[in-house]
Amino acid sequence: MKVYRFITGPDDSSFCHRVTDALNKGWELHGSPTHTFNQAENKLYCGQAVVKTVHGKEYDPSMKLGEQ
């Protein structure tokens, strides 16, 4: 089974830690990171897609993808 996640968050070290944690749990970067500016909050937000192949499981819409 191939699993996809899109990690998002404010452009700060917590976002980088979330992506780093995913990479250390076997996830791989998928494409380039994205950025958007929320003018109302005056904040920059980031996003990064990650994918992972999980052997021995079948996809179920109720599964928590981040725990695979």
Side-chain angles (χ1 to χ4, degrees):
M1 164 181 71
K2 190 133 197 168
V3 187
Y4 170 92
R5 291 175 56 203
F6 190 69
I7 301 170
T8 61
D11 184 20
D12 60 18
S13 65
S14 70
F15 174 78
C16 295
H17 283 282
R18 290 176 60 211
V19 173
T20 299
D21 182 53
L23 293 173
N24 282 283
K25 290 180 178 174
W27 294 82
E28 297 179 18
L29 299 177
H30 182 74
S32 299
T34 61
H35 298 89
T36 189
F37 183 74
N38 182 323
Q39 191 170 7
E41 295 180 7
N42 196 35
K43 282 187 178 181
L44 184 63
Y45 286 88
C46 301
Q48 175 64 59
V50 292
V51 295
K52 182 178 185 180
T53 300
V54 179
H55 300 284
K57 288 190 177 182
E58 289 190 30
Y59 173 72
D60 180 322
S62 66
M63 66 178 32
K64 294 186 178 185
L65 299 177
E67 295 176 3
Q68 302 307 309

